[in-house]
Amino acid sequence: MTTMYKEDICEMIDAGAAKIPADLIIINGNLVNVNSAEIYPADVAVYKSRIVATGDVSGYIGAKTKTIDAKGKYIVPGLIDGHLHIECSKLSMTSFAKAVLPHGTTSIISGLDQYVVTAGLDGIEEILQEIDKTPLKVFWGLPFLTPYTLPQSNVGFNVTAKTHAEVQKWPEVFGVWETVSEFIENQHSDVMKAIEYARINRLPIFGCAPMTRGHKLNSILCAGVRLDHESYDHQEMMEKIRKGMNVIIRESSISHFLAENVKVITHLNPRLSRRVSFCTDDVIASDIINNGHMDKLIRMAIANGVDPLTAIQMGSINSAEAYRIDHLVGSVSPGRFADILLVEDLVKFNIDTVIAKGQLVVENHQTVYQFVPPKRSNVLLQSMKLKPVTADDIAVKTDVTEPTVHALSLDVDFDIPFVRRGRQVELAVKNGVVQPDITNDAIYATVIERFGKTDGKPKVGFCSGWKLKAGAMASSCAPDDNNVVCIGTNSADMAIAINHLAEHGGGQVIVKDGKVLGFLSLPICGIVSDLDPHTMAAEEEKLLQIARELGCDLPDPLFYMCCLQITAIPDYAITDLGVIDFHEQAVMDPVFKCGCTHGKLHPKCHH
C-alpha cells in the first residue's frame, strides 16, 4: 500500500511554525490565489513535499534553503486533469508523467481502469507503486464495475461488489470511478452495493452521464452521483449545474467540447465558473507533444472569452473541490502539496518552471528530473492469451439465400466523437458469407477476447467511416475492455494483424496484402509502453501516415477504431459478444432478416 502522507504530522506543524527551515523558497513572484480570486506579490516556502507558508517567508530561511527567484513571473498552482484514462496515451505511468509535467499537470483523477481489466488488483498495486515514485499524483477512483459493457463482455479481471467491499478501504482510493448512468437506471445489483459501500466509506461517486437530462438525470443524482464529464452541449451542462452537479468540460484528442461547453460561463452566467473544471479524458502522446495538456485547455478557455484567473481556477481548485481533495491539491496554500508553476504570461500561459511534490521537475523550460521506469513483473507483461485465428474465423455468416442482404454498419459520427450511428448497407452474399464492400465503405469489424476466458472466436460485424481501401488494422489497447479490436477490408489481412499482436505481446498493427506495414509494441498489459513520449509520438505519426495511405481520413483512425468497444455511448458498439444495440442493451445480428426494416435500423423483424 502507498500513502500520500509521507511526512510526520508533528514535523509538518513545526515546519509551518518556522521551527524547521524550509527546503525551498520562491521569492519576488505574483501569487495567483485561486481561493480568494486575487493576484498579489507573495513568496512561498516549501518543506519536503508540502507548502508550509505563503506571504512573508523570511523566517523560514535556513543555511541549506534553496531559493528560486520568480521576478516578473506568476506563481500558479499545479493543474489537475479531472478525468483521464491514462492508458489511452499508450504511455506507461512513468512515461506519461514525463510527458505532462512540463505542461503543468501535477495531478490526475483516474480509474486506472484499463490496468484493472488487464492485470487485476496485483497489477494495480504494482502501478500504484510506480505512481508513488514519480512527482505526478494520481487520485484513483475504483471503477464502479468492470467491464463497463452492457451486456457484460469478457475481460481479464472483473470489479464486483466484493471488490468494492475490500478495496474501497485502501488509502489510494478517493472515490468510485465513472459510474455509467445506465447501470444506475437498471439498478445493477453490484453497482448498488458499490454505492452503498461508498456511503459507508464517505467516498464520492464520479459519474458518466452522456446526453443525460430530465428524469434520467434526476435519477442518477438521487443515487448520489456528484460530478460528470460527459455533456455534449452547454445546455445539457447547464441543466446539470442547476441540479447541483459539478461538471467537467472535456477536451480530448478526438472529442472537442471546450468551445461549446464553456458557453455556460461566457454566454449564460460567468458566476457558474466555480462549478466547472477541465479534463482531457483520452489523450495521445503526439497531441501532448504538439499541443500541450492541461496548459492547452487553459489557453483555449482564455481564447474563448474566460478571464485568465477564472481559467486557472477551472484548471486547479475547481477540480480539487469537486473531488473533495482540495485539502491536498488545487491551490498554493500551506499544507497542500508543493505543486507550483512559474508562468511568464497568464494569457499565453507559457510555463517556465514546474515543481511537483516539492521536487523541481522543469526549470527554464527544460526538464531536469530523471524519469526512470521500474522493472516490470510478469503480471504486467503476460496479459495476452489470445488464441490464433484464421481468415475463415472472420466472417459474417447468414442463412439468407438471396444474393444480397441488408445489414447494419456501425457508422462513425465525425461531428460527435465516439458516437456510432446505424447505417443500412446492401452487401453481397457468397457461399453463405456476407462480403465487405470497399466501394460502399462497409468493411469488417471484429473483437476477439484475449484473456483466455472463452474460445476466443471472433465476433464480426461491419463498420463505416474509415474509408479503408485495403488491408486491416488492429489494437489490443482498446477501451473499455482492451480485447483485440480489428477492422479490415478482407479476412486474410485481419487474421494476420490479430495473430501478430498475439505473437508480440500486444500493440497496434497495420497489415496490407499479408505484410505488416507498421507495428507499435505495447508490452505492458498489451496497452502501454515505456517509450519516451517523443518517440511514442513519432510512432503514432508513422501509423497515422500508413492509415492515410490506405484511404483513412479520420483525424485518428486507430483511436476511433479502439472506441468501437464502448457500449455506454449510443447507438451501436461491438464487443467480444458481438454487435451491441445501445438502446436495447443487447447483442444483435448485424444482418437484417428481410428487406422490411420499417424505417428502423433493427434486424428483429417478425414478418
Side-chain angles (χ1 to χ4, degrees):
M1 297 292 178
T2 64
T3 178
M4 291 190 174
Y5 295 98
K6 305 294 186 186
E7 293 84 6
D8 177 78
I9 188 168
C10 293
E11 181 184 17
M12 290 309 302
I13 291 169
D14 286 345
K19 295 178 181 178
I20 302 174
D23 294 315
L24 170 70
I25 62 168
I26 302 170
I27 61 171
N28 298 327
N30 288 300
L31 176 62
V32 179
N33 192 319
V34 293
N35 296 309
S36 61
E38 298 175 281
I39 300 175
Y40 53 86
D43 302 334
V44 180
V46 174
Y47 178 72
K48 294 190 175 179
S49 69
R50 305 291 175 130
I51 297 165
V52 293
T54 59
D56 179 4
V57 301
S58 57
Y60 293 80
I61 301 172
K64 296 182 180 180
T65 302
K66 176 181 173 63
T67 300
I68 294 178
D69 191 345
K71 185 176 182 180
K73 298 168 187 173
Y74 296 91
I75 301 171
V76 176
L79 304 178
I80 302 170
D81 191 327
H83 181 98
L84 178 62
H85 300 269
I86 299 169
E87 305 93 322
C88 285
S89 70
K90 303 183 293 294
L91 295 168
S92 69
M93 285 308 317
T94 303
S95 295
F96 189 80
K98 185 177 182 179
V100 301
L101 277 162
H103 295 285
T105 305
T106 56
S107 295
I108 289 165
I109 291 87
S110 180
L112 304 175
D113 43 347
Q114 295 174 63
Y115 285 118
V116 172
V117 297
T118 54
L121 296 181
D122 289 341
I124 279 292
E125 290 195 62
E126 195 169 329
I127 296 302
L128 292 171
Q129 292 288 342
E130 179 183 4
I131 292 167
D132 194 48
K133 290 178 172 62
T134 76
L136 182 69
K137 287 169 298 305
V138 176
F139 293 90
W140 181 37
L142 176 62
F144 75 102
L145 187 78
T146 62
Y148 302 160
T149 46
L150 283 172
Q152 187 178 83
S153 51
N154 296 285
V155 295
F157 180 82
N158 296 97
V159 171
T160 64
K162 184 178 179 181
T163 314
H164 277 270
E166 172 194 349
V167 180
Q168 280 192 23
K169 297 174 184 177
W170 289 12
E172 297 93 345
V173 175
F174 284 84
V176 177
W177 168 261
E178 197 159 13
T179 311
V180 176
S181 56
E182 280 73 29
F183 289 83
I184 296 175
E185 183 180 9
N186 296 343
Q187 297 184 23
H188 187 287
S189 60
D190 278 70
V191 177
M192 297 301 100
K193 290 176 184 176
I195 292 174
E196 288 291 345
Y197 289 133
R199 288 177 176 176
I200 294 168
N201 295 314
R202 299 181 182 177
L203 293 174
I205 307 298
F206 314 156
C208 176
M211 306 179 195
T212 301
R213 304 185 68 170
H215 291 176
K216 189 174 180 180
L217 177 57
N218 297 337
S219 178
I220 67 165
L221 285 165
C222 288
V225 172
R226 179 176 175 82
L227 48 84
D228 174 71
H229 68 289
E230 287 271 10
S231 296
Y232 276 67
D233 60 53
H234 74 279
Q235 295 292 349
E236 177 186 347
M237 182 168 277
M238 183 64 175
E239 182 178 350
K240 289 172 178 174
I241 294 171
R242 283 173 171 165
K243 291 182 176 179
M245 263 190 163
N246 292 279
V247 293
I248 308 170
I249 294 177
R250 175 174 61 181
E251 182 71 20
S252 81
S253 291
I254 61 171
S255 54
H256 308 291
F257 288 101
L258 190 147
E260 164 61 25
N261 285 341
V262 81
K263 291 177 183 176
V264 298
I265 298 166
T266 58
H267 288 51
L268 299 183
N269 187 348
R271 287 177 288 186
L272 298 176
S273 65
R274 291 289 271 115
R275 302 286 293 186
V276 184
S277 52
F278 295 132
C279 78
T280 60
D281 201 0
D282 308 292
V283 289
I284 58 175
S286 53
D287 188 13
I288 297 168
I289 297 301
N290 295 328
N291 303 310
H293 190 232
M294 292 304 295
D295 58 333
K296 177 185 77 171
L297 273 62
I298 299 292
R299 289 190 291 269
M300 289 181 66
I302 294 168
N304 278 275
V306 178
D307 76 86
L309 177 52
T310 300
I312 292 167
Q313 287 177 315
M314 293 168 69
S316 57
I317 190 64
N318 292 10
S319 268
E321 291 179 348
Y323 283 97
R324 300 195 334 212
I325 54 175
D326 53 303
H327 60 299
L328 295 171
V329 293
S331 65
V332 180
S333 307
R336 277 65 171 182
F337 275 101
D339 297 338
I340 301 167
L341 316 179
L342 299 185
V343 177
E344 296 164 349
D345 184 302
L346 291 185
V347 175
K348 296 179 181 178
F349 209 77
N350 44 351
I351 299 170
D352 172 271
T353 297
V354 177
I355 297 164
K357 288 185 185 175
Q359 301 177 76
L360 189 61
V361 179
V362 176
E363 186 174 25
N364 297 322
H365 303 282
Q366 299 297 315
T367 300
V368 295
Y369 184 89
Q370 296 298 312
F371 293 89
V372 181
K375 184 179 179 180
R376 311 292 178 179
S377 76
N378 288 339
V379 172
L380 299 183
L381 296 177
Q382 296 184 358
S383 68
M384 293 290 291
K385 299 178 175 65
L386 181 64
K387 300 177 178 70
V389 300
T390 67
D392 289 341
D393 291 328
I394 303 170
V396 177
K397 298 178 181 179
T398 183
D399 54 7
V400 175
T401 57
E402 285 81 1
T404 65
V405 294
H406 288 89
L408 174 81
S409 184
L410 280 64
D411 193 12
V412 65
D413 191 328
F414 177 78
D415 293 325
I416 312 178
F418 299 118
V419 170
R420 279 89 45 183
R421 304 300 184 190
R423 177 181 170 220
Q424 186 178 182
V425 291
E426 186 174 1
L427 301 172
V429 178
K430 294 182 181 178
N431 300 319
V433 175
V434 183
Q435 304 296 306
D437 186 344
I438 299 171
T439 59
N440 198 22
D441 187 26
I443 60 175
Y444 278 151
T446 186
V447 174
I448 307 98
E449 187 270 309
R450 57 109 159 173
F451 301 103
K453 299 294 184 73
T454 68
D455 61 9
K457 293 297 182 183
K459 298 298 188 294
V460 190
F462 301 95
C463 66
S464 300
W466 279 263
K467 301 178 183 177
L468 192 65
K469 301 302 181 186
M473 57 180 68
S475 177
S476 58
C477 173
D480 292 321
D481 295 357
N482 294 283
N483 284 313
V484 171
V485 59
C486 179
I487 65 173
T489 61
N490 66 89
S491 299
D493 282 344
M494 292 174 74
I496 291 170
I498 293 162
N499 291 334
H500 188 85
L501 295 185
E503 293 164 9
H504 292 84
Q508 295 186 331
V509 64
I510 302 178
V511 173
K512 180 187 176 187
D513 298 331
K515 181 181 178 181
V516 174
L517 302 182
F519 172 58
L520 170 60
S521 176
L522 301 174
I524 303 169
C525 299
I527 57 176
V528 299
S529 165
D530 279 322
L531 285 176
D532 177 85
H534 286 84
T535 304
M536 178 65 76
E539 292 298 315
E540 289 174 347
E541 182 62 26
K542 288 178 186 177
L543 289 178
L544 177 61
Q545 291 309 313
I546 294 169
R548 292 276 181 268
E549 291 167 9
L550 297 183
C552 294
D553 62 359
L554 288 170
D556 190 333
L558 282 158
F559 203 163
Y560 274 75
M561 176 191 71
C562 292
C563 295
L564 283 170
Q565 295 187 61
I566 300 174
T567 66
I569 298 174
D571 288 320
Y572 299 95
I574 183 168
T575 72
D576 73 300
L577 303 180
V579 177
I580 307 298
D581 183 326
F582 165 86
H583 300 287
E584 297 288 332
Q585 296 174 11
V587 179
M588 59 173 283
D589 188 338
V591 178
F592 293 99
K593 299 306 180 185
C594 71
C596 177
T597 63
H598 310 288
K600 297 180 180 180
L601 286 172
H602 204 288
K604 296 180 179 178
C605 178
H606 299 292
H607 284 198

